[in-house]
Amino acid sequence: MAVTVLTACGAGDDDKTTEAVEELGEMEGQVSILAWPGYVEDGSNDPDVDWVSAFEEETGCQVTSKVYGTSDEALNLAKSGEYDVIAASGDLSLRLISSGEAQEVNTDLVPNYDQVFDFLKDSEWNTLDGVNYGVPHGYGANLLMYNEKSFDTAPTSWGAVFEEEELERNAGKVTAYDSPIYIADAALYLMKTQPELGIENPYALDQEQLDASVELLKQQREYVGEYWSDYLKEIQAFETGDSVVGTTWQVIKNNISNKDVAVTLPEEGATAWNDTWMLSSQAENPNCSYAWMDYILSPEANAQATEYFGEAPNSPAACEETTNPEHCDIFHAGDEEYAEQLWFWRTPIKDCLDGRDVECTDYADWTQAWTEIKG
Amino acid sequence: MAATSHVTETGPGRAADPALRASAARPGSRLLHRRPWLRLALLLSAPLAWMLLVYVLALAALLITSLWSVDSLTSEIDRSWTLENFRTLVENEVYRNVTLRTLGVALAVTVVDVTIALPIAFYMAKVATPRVRNMLVVAVLTPLWASYLVKAFSWRVVLSEGGLAEWSGIGSPGYGLTAVVITQSYIWLPYVILPVFAALDRVPDSMLEAAGDLGAPTGMVLRTIVLPLLVPGIVAGAIFSFSLTMGDYITVNIVGGASQMLGNLVFVNAGAANNLPLAAAIAMIPIVVTLVLLAAIRRTGALENL
């Protein structure tokens, strides 16, 4: 309790604080944020894309931000203790909580939390044992991007990157997301195409199911030109035509000027992310952090950030604020049935997430498998 | 002596008298003269401390880290001893393949660089006029002033679809190991040219003339005189290009396509997968390879002439 009050007053202490703050104090004048590219835009990348300056003027908290490329990288950066607020996807949030890097969030201190879609609150990746560790940002899918010139008819299935006869025509120009979590994309495809494997959840794979997914990815490997985790590299590769088909995010498509490049959500559904703003247990600026969480949940800021990235906003009010009035329809914001078609990133653990009574493969197994797939 | 002290007191201008300085320094130098071990210790302690801290301790830390393990969910390091990481390296085919691939690329880069460096260095050292030679030295050194990343990304653009390589009609190999060899050869070339040039520069022209006067044909002069004197320079250059390629991961990331080398596995395990112990174990591979290589080269005696 003493520690809680200390942190609430903004006094720095080196110990990790995982309990929630009871009440807010004075703004510290700065906040450092760790986030995906496109989440904290202050106009330095594109003068027209800026929602950070408004926050700085409003609260007096100067924002410093760092972007990360993969959830694994983010975990490493978060452990350094240099960041107050972290935008974490579902494959990262539980790891942050279990390693003591996340601080419980008192949602009463985040007024804009009230408007958030109910189904996003207290999800499995931001809440553990009834304790809330963060506020929802938005969600979206890992889409299929392709160059129209390389296809007679637009692909509508992940078969474009998993079936050999489909892969052959684009040999050497296929790309895939460079992270162990991409194994789930293969598992999702097998879940729809090979029901006899019995995959119920692409993040809960027993050894046999993992082996099947790895086999599929090893076959795909023969046709892969390069893997991407740096979004700038993928933009360049699709721009020039070095890559013509593969997974992507909407924000990457938004940054490609090549008119032949298109994206689609394939019929099998897709893996997806559902991001949470989390507070670091080592946060030195908790008051500005709460101010940021509340600000980024506000309809205006959330609409700007999620529309720019290409994902569903987190509240009906934010949908009213988007510049494209159809944005929320396109991304099925608030559509719970649609959200159920998406398989949000989770950290695979030994206890099967789908509740089966067998031992599942964990993230370490997936990391090892990913090294083997790349060969 | 009274005069001396008087002079010393008159001011700094006079204190520079060499005789006076010698007398002031005398007790120290006398002590050093009488105690050779002290002389040696003072001379060597700084570099030795540096060696110990930077090389030996860092290597020991690496070895110790490679014997730890990591919890997959929380990424906390478990500090109990285990040989698990090395077992993974030995048993898993992937690491063997990646090691062989890395060795192959490093060898290819070395061969390409030495092949290019030999004629250039020979021209610079023996044929060119002093003016041209200076210009060539500057030309070889200039790329070293540009950032490594800029050079690697330039090659990515050159090799990309519709890039300079394709446009010029030569054709692009695309991203992959060939692209890695090209890029690495380009980046390390100055490090190979310079030692070969330095070695050649030391070969006296008179020796070549003498050989010619005695009737040796050009091939024989090159084989029996120039080449033996060149070996140390070539070895030095080859060690640079080989070991630098062995440890690199940035170029592979940028132009390597889907292929990975040892450096990438270290990077992925240290930077992304949070498995520092495994990364440390993998990092031991290039270190061991380089040590074995240096030992082998030492046996040939090439290192003594460096």
Side-chain angles (χ1 to χ4, degrees):
Chain A
M1 191 57 196
V3 177
T4 315
V5 175
L6 258 181
T7 317
C9 297
D13 75 68
D14 292 338
D15 294 330
K16 291 180 181 177
T17 313
T18 52
E19 290 160 65
V21 174
E22 303 269 304
E23 57 186 41
L24 292 177
E26 293 261 311
M27 298 286 183
E28 295 87 352
Q30 79 251 345
V31 59
S32 81
I33 302 173
L34 181 62
W36 289 105
Y39 273 25
V40 186
E41 291 294 318
D42 60 2
S44 52
N45 293 326
D46 177 350
D48 296 332
V49 182
D50 177 7
W51 50 89
V52 169
S53 302
F55 167 75
E56 289 176 338
E57 274 164 34
E58 215 171 277
T59 62
C61 299
Q62 287 299 313
V63 172
T64 49
S65 68
K66 174 156 178 73
V67 297
Y68 60 83
T70 63
S71 293
D72 307 301
E73 191 187 333
L75 179 59
N76 251 358
L77 289 168
K79 279 169 172 284
S80 72
E82 286 169 27
Y83 306 95
D84 300 313
V85 192
I86 300 151
S89 298
D91 60 330
L92 171 65
S93 47
L94 280 184
R95 280 189 279 165
L96 282 175
I97 297 170
S98 63
S99 58
E101 290 299 329
Q103 186 180 137
E104 190 183 329
V105 171
N106 185 345
T107 51
D108 294 341
L109 302 177
V110 187
N112 282 319
Y113 184 71
D114 276 348
Q115 323 176 41
V116 171
F117 289 121
D118 281 331
F119 76 99
L120 292 179
K121 291 177 180 173
D122 301 328
S123 63
E124 295 144 331
W125 42 87
N126 64 28
T127 303
L128 191 69
D129 299 331
V131 177
N132 184 292
Y133 284 96
V135 295
H137 175 74
Y139 58 99
N142 295 309
L143 302 165
L144 177 68
M145 182 151 73
Y146 58 96
N147 189 319
E148 282 167 350
K149 285 201 169 148
S150 305
F151 291 87
D152 307 328
T153 52
T156 57
S157 158
W158 285 114
V161 291
F162 287 126
E163 292 299 333
E164 277 201 287
E165 57 267 32
E166 289 282 329
L167 284 164
E168 262 160 17
R169 74 167 100 201
N170 295 316
K173 297 192 167 189
V174 178
T175 188
Y177 188 50
D178 190 358
S179 163
I181 207 71
Y182 182 68
I183 291 172
D185 286 55
L188 174 66
Y189 184 69
L190 290 177
M191 186 166 96
K192 305 283 177 174
T193 55
Q194 292 185 34
E196 65 275 14
L197 280 166
I199 299 175
E200 297 284 326
N201 176 333
Y203 304 100
L205 306 177
D206 59 36
Q207 193 60 49
E208 195 185 325
Q209 294 164 341
L210 178 68
D211 291 344
S213 310
V214 168
E215 206 43 56
L216 187 64
L217 289 168
K218 279 186 174 164
Q219 177 193 308
Q220 181 201 50
R221 166 73 178 77
E222 306 297 317
Y223 303 93
V224 169
E226 66 179 352
Y227 292 96
W228 69 276
S229 61
D230 177 349
Y231 72 115
L232 293 172
K233 210 168 100 174
E234 200 193 17
I235 291 173
Q236 196 242 351
F238 269 88
E239 202 68 81
T240 56
D242 287 301
S243 295
V244 297
V245 64
T247 45
T248 196
W249 303 328
Q250 185 68 43
V251 69
I252 291 174
K253 159 74 176 84
N254 295 349
N255 279 292
I256 292 177
S257 53
N258 189 334
K259 294 273 179 286
D260 300 323
V261 175
V263 290
T264 180
L265 180 71
E267 59 205 15
E268 294 91 359
T271 60
W273 67 90
N274 190 331
D275 293 351
T276 302
W277 287 103
M278 301 181 89
L279 185 58
S280 167
S281 59
Q282 305 181 58
E284 281 171 13
N285 308 299
N287 298 307
C288 275
S289 301
Y290 268 94
W292 171 262
M293 286 195 281
D294 189 47
Y295 170 79
I296 199 69
L297 255 54
S298 69
E300 301 79 29
N302 191 254
Q304 280 178 294
T306 53
E307 191 173 8
Y308 177 67
F309 194 87
E311 62 187 324
N314 65 8
S315 69
C319 285
E320 302 291 317
E321 299 287 337
T322 53
T323 53
N324 177 358
E326 281 162 21
H327 177 78
C328 281
D329 294 335
I330 296 168
F331 288 94
H332 301 264
D335 183 345
E336 283 184 54
E337 269 176 44
Y338 177 83
E340 276 164 19
Q341 302 297 307
L342 298 179
W343 290 92
F344 296 113
W345 280 347
R346 303 279 305 273
T347 306
I349 51 175
K350 288 254 182 268
D351 295 329
C352 290
L353 297 164
D354 58 3
R356 280 182 297 164
D357 194 20
V358 290
E359 183 164 286
C360 273
T361 49
D362 67 6
Y363 197 70
D365 298 326
W366 286 39
T367 309
Q368 183 60 41
W370 187 243
T371 304
E372 282 170 34
I373 289 161
K374 289 176 75 187
Chain B
M1 281 313 275
T4 314
S5 71
H6 172 74
V7 169
T8 318
E9 276 158 21
T10 52
R14 299 294 298 272
D17 188 329
L20 293 179
R21 263 203 325 203
S23 80
R26 201 164 285 155
S29 60
R30 214 179 284 141
L31 181 70
L32 283 179
H33 183 71
R34 253 185 272 137
R35 304 251 191 287
W37 56 266
L38 186 65
R39 210 165 58 210
L40 196 68
L42 278 178
L43 194 67
L44 288 184
S45 56
L48 268 181
W50 172 261
M51 284 282 288
L52 214 65
L53 274 174
V54 172
Y55 292 100
V56 181
L57 279 186
L59 272 180
L62 199 68
L63 185 62
I64 292 169
T65 310
S66 68
L67 296 171
W68 289 340
S69 60
V70 82
D71 182 291
S72 63
L73 186 61
T74 63
S75 307
E76 297 299 336
I77 286 177
D78 176 2
R79 292 193 165 76
S80 47
W81 305 104
T82 167
L83 282 171
E84 197 56 37
N85 291 323
F86 288 99
R87 221 185 67 185
T88 311
L89 290 194
V90 173
E91 283 182 358
N92 205 318
E93 203 190 354
V94 173
Y95 297 101
R96 226 173 9 251
N97 291 340
V98 174
T99 305
L100 288 176
R101 183 180 310 139
T102 310
L103 280 172
V105 169
L107 266 177
V109 169
T110 306
V111 168
V112 169
D113 270 354
V114 170
T115 314
I116 299 176
L118 275 177
I120 292 183
F122 187 80
Y123 183 81
M124 279 164 66
K126 293 293 164 220
V127 183
T129 60
R131 210 177 105 82
V132 174
R133 172 196 299 195
N134 286 344
M135 275 164 54
L136 281 172
V137 171
V138 170
V140 168
L141 285 174
T142 313
L144 292 180
W145 298 341
S147 155
Y148 177 108
L149 277 178
V150 171
K151 288 183 273 187
F153 271 110
S154 306
W155 275 103
R156 184 175 166 89
V157 176
V158 168
L159 298 171
S160 78
E161 198 136 301
L164 202 60
E166 217 166 67
W167 176 78
S168 67
I170 303 166
S172 165
Y175 302 136
L177 288 182
T178 319
V180 174
V181 172
I182 293 174
T183 309
Q184 295 273 24
S185 303
Y186 169 79
I187 293 177
W188 307 136
L189 189 59
Y191 297 94
V192 185
I193 293 182
L194 289 178
V196 177
F197 166 68
L200 256 176
D201 209 29
R202 285 202 310 223
V203 179
D205 290 344
S206 55
M207 201 184 256
L208 304 184
E209 283 159 16
D213 290 347
L214 291 171
T218 317
M220 195 184 209
V221 176
L222 285 178
R223 206 176 59 246
T224 57
I225 299 177
V226 178
L227 203 60
L229 288 165
L230 261 187
V231 165
I234 296 177
V235 167
I239 290 173
F240 282 136
S241 61
F242 187 85
S243 54
L244 287 171
T245 309
M246 277 289 285
D248 185 70
Y249 71 93
I250 301 169
T251 298
V252 198
N253 254 346
I254 296 172
V255 298
S259 32
Q260 48 186 358
M261 282 172 42
L262 282 175
N264 301 84
L265 293 185
V266 173
F267 172 72
V268 163
N269 279 292
N274 290 302
N275 195 339
L276 274 181
L278 184 60
I282 299 169
M284 297 304 281
I285 300 176
I287 291 173
V288 169
V289 168
T290 311
L291 286 179
V292 168
L293 200 73
L294 284 178
I297 292 172
R298 210 177 76 95
R299 294 192 96 184
T300 68
L303 286 183
E304 277 122 57
N305 296 320
L306 279 183

